[in-house]
Amino acid sequence: MSDSLVEDIRARADILEIVGEYVQLRRSGKSYRGPCPLHGGDGPNFSVDPQRQIFKCFVCGEGGDVFGFLMKHLGFEFPEAVRHVGARVGIEVPDREERREDPHAPLRGVLAFAAEWFQGRLREPAGAGARDYLQGRGLSLEEALDFGVGYADDEWRALRSAAARHGIEERTLLDLGLLATSERAEEPYDRFRGRLMFTIHDLRDRPIGFGGRILDASSDAPKYINSPESPVFHKGEELYGLNRARHAMRREGHAAIAEGFTDVIALHRAGLGFAVAGLGTSFTADQARRIGRYTKRAYLLYDSDLAGLRATFRTGDILLAAGIHPMVVSLPSGEDPDSLIRRDGPAAIRQLLDDAVDLLERKLQILHREGYLDRVEGRRRAVDGLLSTLRAVSDPALRDIYVDRAVEGLGIRRDTLVDEIARLERSRLRRRPPAAGAGRPRRGQSLASRTEHDFLLLLVRDPALTRQAVRVGLVPDHMSDPRGRELFEILAAASDEGVDSPDWTSASAAAGDLAKALRESDRELPDAARVFDAVVRRLLYRRHRERIEEIGRAIELAEPEQQRRLLGEKQELVRELRAAGESGAFMPAAEPGRPPKPTTAQR
């Protein structure tokens, strides 16, 4: 839809009239006040300004225009909100999406057929065992069907045969992972057999994949299997139950992340409709960003065993990086949300949510319980255990609170902890894999890569330069690319032995490929002496630049006294760089082979 159409609808809309349908508003000066429907407040903290056509809550901080209100309160997507308001003001919004041909329409039709077929089998005599299993978990047939639960026959080709009768091609079933193949089988067979089937929906409630739970406890087959990746299903991006939970997430102000399908269904039935689950793989940044569209707070309801705690802390760090505040729910040993609700009722899980603790606080509790804070060695390890969380948090205010709490809990100085966080970030950046194909620097390749490329290219072309590089203090560790370090070692060893042609056969495959690319490179380096001098200085003083960047990250968390110390160190490093003919970290560096622009003083 065009911007002009959206603006026309916004201009004709009366935000007071639309919001007034959901909030009891009273005039207060030029605005209208009432209780906030977004966080469930009681006081008159929610304000609507009819002149400016905006709303604002002074408690939860939410605000925006009429479209934003419908998106936050009713869970509409933006186009849906525009169409809703457009209908109110008499402007028809053309639905291009309905007229545009969906390239995946055939796949979606097959997935819809499979979902209906699985649910139909649950109703049939063949699904009696599955219905008994559901009943044992307190789930009626009607409730199961409402959540898209079905049953896959314990037969090799039941779905395949049913699909064939409806004219569905095997190739499509294979593309969607509904059929599988094996060297031991002459024909494709059903991937899901003898399993309780959970339909995974997208945000438009369309089936995109399935999860299957084995019902035969004695089977050695995996307990759960999910649909493989397909053109319409990307398990690292999707969340089970998000199609149902997103509106509740916005209304309640938080999400709940569980481990399994049955946990999500149990939580929804218990009135906690903001619950979702991953899809058999580790929680991802894409999934965190999905949740972040609806809320900035999430409860983690993972198992309390060691594996569950590891998953909890890993997921928590990913949520923090996405700007979501994670709270850890401590489930009783051996219990999951489904079993706990069946045993003790919905009130039990609600109490655990009320008792949830912040992610960092939970880490500190465990460190204290395990005795790490009682001895020097353990306290050192405790620092390492908290660093990933301290580094992950993206919200500046929360990050500062976390650092203060960690300093208090660990009993160390704040400046020491801040330095550790900055060092971890530096280490993470240096561990990034090098770019492939270094025979010729590519557009967008980092300066460090170009510098190392040109340095090695010069050494390969003129072995005498290797002796000169070693003489001025360059060592393999000055190279960030492991292939470059290996080649420099080979060149330096040959130089020590007075050999001009190194033995490249001792190089690893990756380093050998790089050496070959360098020998065959046609890259021109005019004025080789100037280039050599530039790249050597850049490599020698790389540590200075990295420390300056590290100080920049540390200053954000440092207190005034530490900030003064760090600034002094940075100024000294910059002076050393300038004395060596290198620009400061805040200045763009000249590329090797290209003289830097003269400074004002030089002119």
Side-chain angles (χ1 to χ4, degrees):
M1 58 189 70
S2 66
D3 291 342
S4 60
L5 178 62
V6 173
E7 288 303 320
D8 189 18
I9 294 173
R10 182 187 285 114
R12 296 194 192 187
D14 183 350
I15 191 173
L16 186 63
E17 177 185 343
I18 293 175
V19 174
E21 294 182 0
Y22 307 97
V23 186
Q24 187 173 358
L25 299 169
R26 295 181 181 275
R27 190 180 185 91
S28 176
K30 294 183 178 180
S31 64
Y32 289 76
R33 294 290 192 95
C36 178
L38 304 180
H39 77 276
D42 296 323
N45 301 302
F46 183 85
S47 172
V48 176
D49 186 334
Q51 184 174 359
R52 299 168 63 195
Q53 287 291 299
I54 61 172
F55 74 92
K56 175 71 176 180
C57 176
F58 299 100
V59 173
C60 69
E62 294 287 2
D65 61 9
V66 63
F67 304 135
F69 175 79
L70 293 173
M71 292 167 68
K72 296 175 190 299
H73 184 52
L74 300 181
F76 286 173
E77 298 297 328
F78 180 73
E80 190 179 4
V82 174
R83 290 190 180 93
H84 181 85
V85 179
R88 294 286 300 268
V89 300
I91 298 177
E92 182 180 357
V93 179
D95 192 345
R96 294 184 184 176
E97 191 170 347
E98 289 182 359
R99 294 202 297 268
R100 186 176 62 233
E101 184 177 352
D102 182 358
H104 302 310
L107 299 181
R108 298 190 193 283
V110 173
L111 287 164
F113 164 80
E116 291 179 7
W117 189 79
F118 288 138
Q119 291 180 60
R121 300 306 292 166
L122 184 62
R123 298 188 188 95
E124 300 295 326
R131 293 196 299 274
D132 291 341
Y133 173 85
L134 292 170
Q135 188 174 4
R137 286 181 171 261
L139 195 64
S140 69
L141 175 61
E142 290 72 21
E143 288 175 315
L145 294 173
D146 180 56
F147 279 96
V149 180
Y151 173 68
D153 291 71
D154 193 11
E155 299 178 15
W156 285 95
R157 293 178 176 83
L159 174 61
R160 179 188 177 211
S161 299
R165 290 194 295 271
H166 285 78
I168 297 173
E169 297 181 358
E170 278 188 7
R171 182 71 262 166
T172 306
L173 296 170
L174 286 166
D175 289 343
L176 293 170
L178 292 167
L179 296 186
T181 58
S182 170
E183 294 180 356
R184 295 176 294 177
E186 295 182 359
E187 297 179 345
Y189 54 89
D190 292 359
R191 178 184 296 274
F192 300 100
R193 303 181 308 280
R195 292 179 180 272
L196 194 67
M197 299 299 294
F198 299 88
T199 306
I200 302 163
H201 296 88
D202 65 11
L203 294 181
R204 295 174 62 181
D205 294 322
R206 300 176 298 188
I208 55 175
F210 301 94
R213 186 197 192 284
I214 197 73
L215 289 175
D216 183 358
S218 63
S219 173
D220 57 358
K223 184 177 179 181
Y224 281 99
I225 59 172
N226 291 326
S227 293
E229 295 278 316
S230 78
V232 296
F233 180 54
H234 308 286
K235 64 180 68 177
E237 301 175 6
E238 304 294 342
L239 289 156
Y240 180 71
L242 184 60
N243 59 311
R244 287 173 171 261
R246 57 188 174 131
H247 303 324
M249 286 181 186
R250 278 187 171 134
R251 287 196 306 270
E252 302 292 335
H254 48 248
I257 304 174
E259 290 191 88
F261 302 122
T262 54
D263 291 330
V264 171
I265 293 174
L267 289 164
H268 279 247
R269 292 178 62 234
L272 307 178
F274 44 80
V276 294
L279 297 172
T281 57
S282 297
F283 196 80
T284 69
D286 285 332
Q287 291 170 326
R289 284 190 286 271
R290 278 277 180 107
I291 291 174
R293 292 173 58 188
Y294 308 104
T295 183
K296 296 301 179 184
R297 185 181 180 90
Y299 292 94
L300 298 173
L301 293 99
Y302 290 1
D303 291 346
S304 57
D305 58 11
L306 182 59
L309 284 174
R310 286 174 176 165
T312 295
F313 295 135
R314 183 184 178 280
T315 300
D317 288 348
I318 293 171
L319 291 170
L320 284 170
I324 300 169
H325 190 181
M327 302 293 290
V328 181
V329 176
S330 297
L331 294 166
S333 179
E335 298 283 358
D336 56 35
D338 178 36
S339 64
L340 183 65
I341 291 170
R342 282 188 284 117
R343 190 188 72 181
D344 297 334
I349 201 75
R350 290 184 178 277
Q351 184 60 53
L352 289 179
L353 291 179
D354 291 340
D355 295 339
V357 297
D358 169 83
L359 181 77
L360 182 72
E361 199 66 41
R362 183 62 177 140
K363 278 193 170 184
L364 287 168
Q365 288 177 355
I366 293 173
L367 290 170
H368 186 271
R369 184 187 70 196
E370 299 294 332
Y372 282 92
L373 305 182
D374 299 335
R375 57 190 189 278
V376 173
E377 179 186 357
R379 189 164 294 184
R380 168 66 255 190
R381 292 182 62 191
V383 172
D384 294 337
L386 296 184
L387 283 177
S388 66
T389 294
L390 295 173
R391 186 191 66 81
V393 60
S394 61
D395 179 83
L398 184 61
R399 180 176 57 195
D400 201 56
I401 293 169
Y402 268 24
V403 171
D404 282 344
R405 181 65 186 98
V407 166
E408 177 188 354
L410 296 172
I412 63 174
R413 298 196 341 254
R414 182 185 174 98
D415 57 352
T416 300
L417 186 58
V418 168
D419 281 342
E420 286 290 320
I421 297 170
R423 267 194 287 272
L424 176 66
E425 178 66 11
R426 173 184 169 185
S427 174
R428 183 187 68 83
L429 291 173
R430 293 190 64 186
R431 284 199 301 270
R432 286 179 179 172
R440 176 189 292 270
R442 305 182 310 279
R443 183 185 301 274
Q445 198 172 3
S446 72
L447 181 61
S449 299
R450 296 201 307 273
T451 300
E452 293 180 16
H453 170 274
D454 288 349
F455 173 68
L456 291 170
L457 184 59
L458 287 167
L459 300 193
V460 167
R461 290 177 176 177
D462 185 356
L465 292 178
T466 302
R467 289 187 286 275
Q468 188 176 338
V470 172
R471 194 161 51 246
V472 299
L474 274 177
V475 295
D477 279 348
H478 281 107
M479 313 287 286
S480 62
D481 187 330
R483 301 169 302 170
R485 287 196 293 271
E486 186 177 346
L487 293 188
F488 190 22
E489 288 176 354
I490 294 173
L491 288 162
S495 176
D496 286 344
E497 298 171 1
V499 177
D500 288 343
S501 299
D503 180 13
W504 300 113
T505 59
S506 62
S508 65
D513 289 343
L514 175 58
K516 182 175 184 293
L518 290 167
R519 294 197 303 274
E520 297 175 353
S521 173
D522 59 357
R523 175 168 164 76
E524 295 183 7
L525 294 176
D527 199 348
R530 184 197 298 272
V531 174
F532 180 77
D533 179 62
V535 297
V536 166
R537 281 188 288 108
R538 182 150 292 279
L539 291 173
L540 279 172
Y541 289 95
R542 174 182 288 168
R543 298 289 188 271
H544 282 58
R545 294 180 177 282
E546 290 176 346
R547 178 55 184 161
I548 288 171
E549 292 177 2
E550 186 178 303
I551 289 172
R553 291 189 292 271
I555 282 177
E556 296 179 3
L557 297 172
E559 292 185 326
E561 180 59 35
Q562 188 184 8
Q563 284 181 344
R564 285 191 289 272
R565 178 177 64 78
L566 291 171
L567 284 172
E569 182 184 352
K570 179 177 180 179
Q571 289 169 356
E572 180 60 30
L573 291 169
V574 171
R575 277 195 294 268
E576 292 179 12
L577 283 173
R578 286 176 172 167
E582 289 287 283
S583 62
F586 50 87
M587 295 291 290
E591 292 186 19
R594 181 181 300 172
K597 295 180 180 179
T599 63
T600 304
Q602 290 172 329
R603 288 196 293 267

